[in-house]
Amino acid sequence: MRDAVAPEPLPLWPFTGREDELRLVRRSSAGARRGLVVTGPPGRGKTRLVTEAVRGTDCARVAGIPQAHRMPFAAFAPLLPESVTLHRAVRLLSGVRTLLVDDAHLLDDSSAALVHQLAVRSDTRLLIVVTDGAPVPAAVSRLWTGELLPRLPLGPLPREETARLVTVGAGRAPEPLTVNRLHRLAGGDLRLLRELLGALRGHEDLTPVPGTDEWAWRGPVPLTPAVREHTAHLLTRTDPGERETLDRLAFAEPLPVELDGPTGPEHPMDPADRPAGPAPLDLAALERLEDDGLVHVDDRGAVRLAHPLHGPVLRAAAGGLRARRLARAPEEYGPALDAEATALTALIGQADVRTVPAPVGDWLVAEGVPVPAGYAALRARYARLRGEVREAAAWAREGLRTTASARSGPAEAEAEAEAEAEAEAGFGAGAGFGAAAEARAELALAEAQSPALASVRYPAHAPHDPYDAVRLGAPERAAGRLTGVFAAHADALTHADGPALDRAAGELERRGFLLFSAEAYAQAAAAHRDPAATRTARTRAVALARRCQGARTPALAALALGELTARQQQIVTLAATGLSNRQIAERLTLSIRTVGNHLYSAYTRLGASDRTALPRLTDPRPTGPRPAEFQEKQSA
């Protein structure tokens, strides 16, 4: 019998996504500052942050010890003699330049008093780490409530940095919908994220994404020990009404709350009086679950599970018979998806894409349930407007996958005919074929702005949208055809008004159009005459562009070119015309190796994979129809 092969350990994750916090912690332990208290939920990366901050410095380190509350100075045992008074301990440690106290919520009373006295009486700089939600000794909590030390609450790691960690842990890049899923499930807990990723390595639910080097995760959440521990308060509910309510929500959320319905077993409803359809939720059970923070009821009376991890865990833990009883058929999710599509369309109409009110579509895709092509195309468009170009491509591929799956049924021609007849029926199967063209168009637009397919030029039809003409640097094509912030952007660009472009960019950012905002800031950087204003606009453009999944557009290309050295710009411009490295070297009297090195550095800054992308990145002019042709097509 062959011995089981142990899985390879996950590689050490890089420190990422905490640059601002890292600078703050380092400043707090230097100069005249007295130190800092770092707080946050378990698994947030607090210890890694402070450890990185003191790396290479002369820093003493201690940590609170569980179950050691009755042992005086237990945490400081490595630094103090066996028997010591508080007064002497303060004197012995006053010469320590920097002291890092990890898990300070676990300190025994003597150690907590020592830390407090060091903060009051010595020149020792203190870095204190405390976990939110845990009982904290009063002497420790007084450090920040008494304003002895400032407190830094550590927020969750941004989604972009989560993607980097997952790529390192898996050894290759995940597709955006998988990143979103892992980010939601972990909820900022990096230990849980690492546990999930470890359980997925080599899992059969991981599949390659056709046409890319990425992988996707579809299917149930693995019930690892860490996942069960994280959701023990959920899985151990013993009240039958509460557990039934939780399971029903897991398989069919959101569900309406009927305030006039039954309030528990003490007020049963006569079966003859019960309306057709699913039984109403147990209101008494809901109230208890809401009090415990397990469910959330929105302003419209719809109830959902409070944490994204809860639904997948409950579904994975349900037995086969229970799952068959509670699960909806795929077509039964139509009304929920229609409601989400209506909400998304309304937000697009209001020019406000800050939120994504579409959890049902998210978890259907996550678990491998095909979603209608029309819905997927709308999600692709919404993601693209938010600047999430890789996510837009992923949603478009989901829609095309659904269409391809449907084609395996009836003959293609027959199905296409049915699609024409059913195009007005919403997001049904027939309408899916009609929506395939929308999904293909969204895929083309997303890929054209992604460095993953750098050889794709910006689509020729893109300037047919008046605002795309503004983004491509031709605001005259959109004259009188835009409203609101988009019209303000066009007018500011027409007049090369740097401050007005800054204002338009700020409003676009506030409304969630991050890529459009980055482009407007890039245009402002070129329009400003004040060098300080130029630097500010450029910095803001770069920061926003980094949040747009590597998007590359003509406006951002001009921004990126501005970051190249003069020699790099010269070589890139020549390479974009089609000259080889040897021809460039001969023209500039350089070695071929020098040209290659400059191009490699430029590719990194431009987000290009090779020289095939350079014509698109170095030519900010629209590649679509000329103005006369554009106007003719618009009036047709």
Side-chain angles (χ1 to χ4, degrees), residues 64-216:
I65 304 172
Q67 311 300 324
H69 295 289
R70 297 185 179 181
M71 298 174 59
F73 303 112
F76 285 87
L79 303 180
L80 297 175
E82 186 172 347
S83 179
V84 68
T85 64
L86 177 60
H87 177 74
R88 188 178 178 217
V90 172
R91 189 157 48 86
L92 289 172
L93 293 178
S94 293
V96 174
R97 185 178 184 278
T98 305
L99 176 65
L100 192 164
V101 184
D102 201 2
D103 290 333
H105 54 286
L106 297 176
L107 291 178
D108 58 272
D109 291 340
S110 298
S111 295
L114 174 56
V115 169
H116 191 276
Q117 289 299 312
L118 288 171
V120 173
R121 299 185 179 183
S122 77
D123 293 329
T124 300
R125 297 176 180 87
L126 300 171
L127 293 178
I128 313 296
V129 178
V130 177
T131 295
D132 288 345
V136 181
V140 173
S141 63
R142 285 286 296 169
L143 292 175
W144 66 88
T145 60
E147 299 185 355
L148 290 171
L149 296 177
R151 183 170 73 98
L152 172 63
L154 206 58
L157 200 67
R159 179 217 177 268
E160 296 81 11
E161 304 303 333
T162 299
R164 183 181 175 193
L165 292 181
V166 173
T167 300
V168 170
R172 55 197 177 103
E175 54 93 37
L177 302 187
T178 295
V179 173
N180 292 347
R181 185 185 187 188
L182 288 166
H183 188 65
R184 286 194 304 269
L185 293 177
D189 189 330
L190 300 183
R191 290 183 300 189
L192 179 59
L193 177 65
R194 190 175 179 87
E195 175 82 8
L196 287 170
L197 195 58
L200 291 174
R201 285 168 68 92
H203 200 279
E204 61 183 8
D205 288 332
L206 299 187
T207 57
V209 179
T212 75
D213 295 328
E214 300 171 339
W215 58 272

Side-chain angles (χ1 to χ4, degrees), residues 416-438:
E416 298 257 3
E418 290 177 5
E420 294 294 330
E422 299 178 19
E424 301 298 323
F427 291 138
F433 291 112
E438 296 178 34

Side-chain angles (χ1 to χ4, degrees), residues 396-413:
R397 282 193 290 266
E398 285 293 327
L400 295 174
R401 182 173 69 87
T402 301
T403 303
S405 176
R407 288 186 192 278
S408 63
E412 181 173 332

Side-chain angles (χ1 to χ4, degrees), residues 294-307:
L294 294 179
V295 300
H296 170 71
V297 183
D298 65 24
D299 296 337
R300 292 174 291 183
V303 60
R304 303 179 188 274
L305 294 167
H307 193 284

Side-chain angles (χ1 to χ4, degrees), residues 320-332:
L321 292 177
R322 191 174 187 81
R324 289 180 64 182
R325 174 172 67 85
L326 295 174
R328 296 179 182 180
E331 60 271 14
E332 293 182 76

